[in-house]
Amino acid sequence: DNCKSTEYSTMKSMLLDLQNQKYITQENENPNGDDISRKKLLVDQMFKYFDADSNGLVDINELTQ
């Protein structure tokens, strides 16, 4: 309740960066590659994680599990 919008944004960015470092470097991707490619790969990985039934869609049931 006491979290400001700027604090939330900072925390979100830090968490995304940590997630990116953990999974991208584990897969031996080039950690110095361009930022947009790494972010796209991260989003693709997150989508695959949440798409539990692999139907290409993330529905409310998958998000709440």
Side-chain angles (χ1 to χ4, degrees):
D1 292 333
N2 296 330
C3 182
K4 297 178 184 175
S5 177
T6 55
E7 294 170 330
Y8 173 77
S9 181
T10 301
M11 181 189 70
K12 183 177 78 170
S13 294
M14 288 172 43
L15 289 174
L16 285 173
D17 287 343
L18 288 172
Q19 183 81 2
N20 189 13
Q21 289 173 8
K22 178 180 178 183
Y23 289 104
I24 301 294
T25 55
Q26 278 183 357
E27 294 181 359
N28 295 323
E29 292 289 329
N30 181 4
N32 297 321
D34 73 84
D35 202 35
I36 292 176
S37 295
R38 290 186 310 160
K39 286 181 181 178
K40 181 184 181 322
L41 184 58
L42 175 62
V43 169
D44 290 345
Q45 289 173 337
M46 290 172 68
F47 183 83
K48 287 178 190 175
Y49 176 80
F50 286 111
D51 186 19
D53 61 6
S54 300
N55 69 348
L57 302 170
V58 177
D59 61 31
I60 191 69
N61 294 326
E62 291 169 324
L63 288 175
T64 57
Q65 290 180 2

